[in-house]
Amino acid sequence: MSGTASAVRVERQTTGTELVSRLEGARSRIEQRFLDGGVVLLAVLDVLNRLVASLENLSRSLDDETAQATIGRLVATVDQLTALPAIEETRQQRLASVSVTEKSLGTHIADMQETLRYLRTFATTAKITGAAIPDFSGFAEEILERIQFGRKEVDALGAKIGTLSGVIDAASLGGGEALERFRRSVPDIATNLSRNAADLTSQRKHLSQLAGKVGSSARLVQTKVATTLSAMQIGDITRQRIEHCQSAFAFLDEHLAAGTLDGDAAGRLTALVHHLVRDQLVAITSDFGRECKTVVGTIRSFGTDIDGLMALYGDMAATDGQSADRAMRTLEADIDAARAVVRDIEQAAGKANALGSSTVETVRELLKGVKTIQLVRTDIHYMALNTNLRCSKLGEEGRAINVVTAELRTFSAQLDETAERILVALQSLEGDAGKLGEAGNAAGGSLDIHLEEVLDHIRRAGDRMEEDMAALRDCGADVSAKAGRTIAGLDFNAELGDVLADCAASASDLIGHAMPDTAGLEEAMADLGSRIARVYTMASEREIHARYFGGTLEAAPAQPTAMSDDDLFDDALF
């Protein structure tokens, strides 16, 4: 018995060695080729993932609420900017009014100084005239001292007004030219800001829409690649089924090695296994070809999908991306130009405000000085009146002095009139100076600070968009290179289908046309058939197995890939 079994094994080895070798070659090639294909598709999926992530980042930067709010704030700021020339014109008018009032003060001070000179002259004359009258000399000297004190107060008042005049002249210097420059530049700047802000908003919206379309297209390709990766389980399924054929030969060898069959029975059992393996390989080749055709067709469709994706991406990157970036940078330049004008206007406003504050303070000091002069005038008036009364008592001796002191009273009254005019002018000056600050600034504080904040937001938004567009360009180049170059070569059926067909043909060469007689092989078939059946994972394998070994066989425990080919591809493919 052992000799016969040994002879059968030698015969099976000589006839089946080539098939076993081809099966192992097919199994290893399928395993490696699908692993390589999986690596390629994973690389494509990775770059698509990065493309989608870049698009999402870009969309977030384009739809950034802060950026949109910034542009809205800029548009509101344009209205304030447009109002600046009118504000500056009002300021210049009030500054001119301050200057006119200040110059009138100079005239009044000169009149007061002239009046004091007359008073001094009359007081001196009175002193000389009354030199012979007892105690009159001291009285006249007292009047001269008050006049001298008043002259010093008036001179001090004149000096302060002169200083104020210099400040007002400096503040007014070039005001007309500056106002004309503002009138020429502000409308153009405001128009450019409004137009470019509107262009930027429109371009960002269009770019965001394009990014959404590119993202949708990229996600479709991404999903298709991911689904194809799942569908490539056909490679693993085919490898397993080949291994099951190899297991059938291995289990046959083990059963024959036990020596329980004679040469004839061993030959018939071997022929039965050859028929089984041949039919399994025919089914494997057919299933592999059918499913690979679908996988390869899907992979080939990537080319069209990716071409469409890259065309859409190219339109976004080459046109709207550059336009939005240019609009962003143009807007930055416009804001810089606006800030230069606004700074000049706000500096002028600052000077005017400072002038207004200092003028108000000076006016208050001048008011005190004028009140002092008025007190001096009152003193002189009453001194002159007392002198008149004393002279009346002196009779003829006091007549000449009485004439002079009457003039003192007259001119002291003029001094009071001039002081009143100065008071009126000072009150007007105080009012005009206070209004300088009212004209000063745009609503809401410093417009330059607002523009600086807007510029900072826009600049940061522009930088983010540039970074996102750069990342997008890199991803786009990777998609174009990797997808276009590598996917084209993934034709699994062309490379592996012939290998499987060759294995099936070799299996056919091992068998005759007729089925072997299985009489007397029931026990061997039950044992061997059961062992072979337990490795199956596909329903189609068990169906073929049942045709040769009969019976209803229980399915093997489900493994992760234990789905039928049809079920798998119904779920996996489009």
Side-chain angles (χ1 to χ4, degrees):
M1 180 70 69
S2 61
T4 302
S6 177
V8 171
R9 284 197 302 274
V10 170
E11 180 182 0
R12 194 200 63 77
Q13 288 173 354
T14 56
T15 56
T17 298
E18 183 179 356
L19 176 58
V20 171
S21 176
R22 289 186 177 185
L23 285 174
E24 178 57 26
R27 186 202 65 80
S28 61
R29 285 189 65 182
I30 288 171
E31 182 176 47
Q32 188 60 50
R33 191 65 191 91
F34 273 83
L35 283 175
D36 292 343
V39 169
V40 169
L41 289 178
L42 283 172
V44 173
L45 184 61
D46 176 67
V47 76
L48 285 170
N49 289 341
R50 288 192 290 115
L51 178 64
V52 170
S54 296
L55 284 164
E56 289 173 348
N57 289 336
L58 178 62
S59 295
R60 279 194 293 271
S61 68
L62 290 170
D63 295 333
D64 184 11
E65 291 182 4
T66 302
Q68 296 300 324
T70 297
I71 293 175
R73 188 176 181 184
L74 175 61
V75 172
T77 303
V78 169
D79 294 336
Q80 297 176 354
L81 180 65
T82 305
L84 287 180
I87 292 174
E88 182 60 21
E89 183 176 7
T90 301
R91 182 184 297 112
Q92 293 293 338
Q93 290 172 352
R94 290 177 178 174
L95 193 59
S97 178
V98 168
S99 179
V100 169
T101 304
E102 175 275 324
K103 285 179 171 54
S104 72
L105 283 173
T107 302
H108 297 323
I109 291 295
D111 291 343
M112 192 175 283
Q113 288 172 331
E114 183 69 19
T115 301
L116 284 167
R117 282 195 293 272
Y118 281 117
L119 286 172
R120 180 178 175 78
T121 299
F122 287 122
T124 302
T125 302
K127 181 179 179 181
I128 294 171
T129 304
I133 300 174
D135 298 328
F136 188 78
S137 178
F139 184 69
E141 187 64 35
E142 187 176 353
I143 293 178
L144 283 171
E145 287 178 0
R146 296 304 293 165
I147 292 172
Q148 180 65 19
F149 175 77
R151 186 185 67 80
K152 289 181 179 179
E153 287 295 320
V154 171
D155 288 346
L157 204 62
K160 289 179 180 178
I161 291 174
T163 302
L164 180 61
S165 175
V167 174
I168 293 174
D169 288 343
S172 303
L173 185 64
E177 295 177 2
L179 179 59
E180 185 59 30
R181 186 172 69 253
F182 297 154
R183 285 172 175 165
R184 288 196 308 268
S185 59
V186 167
D188 288 343
I189 291 173
T191 299
N192 289 341
L193 283 174
S194 297
R195 183 183 62 252
N196 288 327
D199 288 347
L200 179 59
T201 300
S202 175
Q203 288 163 3
R204 283 169 67 90
K205 182 179 180 180
H206 189 202
L207 186 57
S208 180
Q209 291 172 346
L210 277 176
K213 291 180 181 178
V214 174
S216 297
S217 179
R219 289 184 187 91
L220 287 175
V221 180
Q222 185 184 41
T223 301
K224 189 176 284 190
V225 172
T227 305
T228 303
L229 276 167
S230 176
M232 282 175 61
Q233 289 182 79
I234 184 58
D236 189 52
I237 292 170
T238 302
R239 175 191 57 79
Q240 289 183 44
R241 293 176 71 175
I242 291 173
E243 288 176 350
H244 300 164
C245 292
Q246 292 174 310
S247 296
F249 283 129
F251 293 150
L252 175 62
D253 281 345
E254 292 173 6
H255 191 84
L256 295 179
T260 57
L261 297 176
D262 59 21
D264 177 64
R268 286 185 290 129
L269 185 61
T270 298
L272 185 66
V273 170
H274 286 172
H275 275 83
L276 171 67
V277 169
R278 190 277 311 273
D279 285 2
Q280 293 285 16
L281 286 173
V282 169
I284 290 170
T285 302
S286 175
D287 292 345
F288 182 82
R290 182 182 66 254
E291 305 302 350
C292 269
K293 182 178 179 181
T294 305
V295 172
V296 171
T298 303
I299 289 175
R300 285 177 175 169
S301 73
F302 291 167
T304 302
D305 294 334
I306 290 173
D307 286 345
L309 167 64
M310 296 316 298
L312 191 59
Y313 160 77
D315 179 53
M316 181 184 72
T319 306
D320 288 88
Q322 294 177 6
S323 297
D325 181 59
R326 283 196 300 271
M328 191 83 75
R329 299 314 175 191
T330 300
L331 192 57
E332 289 180 24
D334 289 339
I335 293 175
D336 277 332
R339 289 189 66 197
V341 173
V342 167
R343 277 194 294 268
D344 287 344
I345 294 177
E346 291 189 345
Q347 285 173 4
K351 290 179 181 178
N353 290 343
L355 173 61
S357 298
S358 65
T359 300
V360 170
E361 290 299 320
T362 302
V363 166
R364 289 170 183 168
E365 294 177 6
L366 292 173
L367 288 171
K368 293 178 183 177
V370 171
K371 291 185 181 301
T372 301
I373 292 170
Q374 286 180 317
L375 290 174
V376 170
R377 172 263 167 196
T378 301
D379 289 344
I380 294 172
H381 174 78
Y382 283 112
M383 285 179 182
L385 181 61
N386 288 336
T387 301
N388 283 146
L389 293 174
R390 289 182 65 184
C391 289
S392 296
K393 294 178 181 179
L394 291 175
E396 191 65 29
E397 183 182 6
R399 187 184 299 271
I401 297 174
N402 205 16
V403 172
V404 174
T405 54
E407 291 295 327
L408 280 173
R409 289 173 61 195
T410 300
F411 277 96
S412 68
Q414 290 181 9
L415 186 65
D416 192 47
E417 291 172 2
T418 305
E420 285 295 334
R421 288 195 293 271
I422 290 176
L423 284 174
V424 172
L426 286 175
Q427 290 168 354
S428 174
L429 182 61
E430 184 177 28
D432 289 341
K435 291 177 181 178
L436 281 174
E438 296 175 5
N441 299 313
S446 171
L447 186 56
D448 183 45
I449 292 176
H450 289 175
L451 286 171
E452 183 179 19
E453 292 173 352
V454 169
L455 179 61
D456 180 61
H457 284 305
I458 288 178
R459 185 169 287 147
R460 284 191 281 113
D463 291 343
R464 279 199 309 272
M465 194 179 77
E466 280 186 352
E467 292 171 3
D468 293 337
M469 286 300 297
L472 197 58
R473 281 191 289 270
D474 291 342
C475 286
D478 283 348
V479 169
S480 180
K482 289 185 178 179
R485 186 176 60 246
T486 57
I487 288 180
L490 296 181
D491 190 345
F492 302 105
N493 191 43
E495 298 175 14
L496 303 173
D498 291 344
V499 174
L500 289 172
D502 185 58
C503 289
S506 296
S508 296
D509 291 341
L510 293 177
I511 62 175
H513 294 290
M515 282 283 294
D517 183 8
T518 58
L521 296 178
E522 291 80 2
E523 185 177 349
M525 288 174 61
D527 177 55
L528 179 59
S530 176
R531 292 186 65 189
I532 294 173
R534 278 196 292 269
V535 302
Y536 294 143
T537 56
M538 306 293 293
S540 58
E541 292 178 299
R542 289 189 287 274
E543 291 173 0
I544 294 171
H545 185 90
R547 291 205 299 266
Y548 291 97
F549 286 87
T552 303
L553 301 175
E554 294 182 1
Q559 297 183 10
T561 56
M563 296 176 64
S564 72
D565 292 356
D566 292 336
D567 289 341
L568 174 65
F569 283 92
D570 284 344
D571 290 340
L573 294 177
F574 293 112

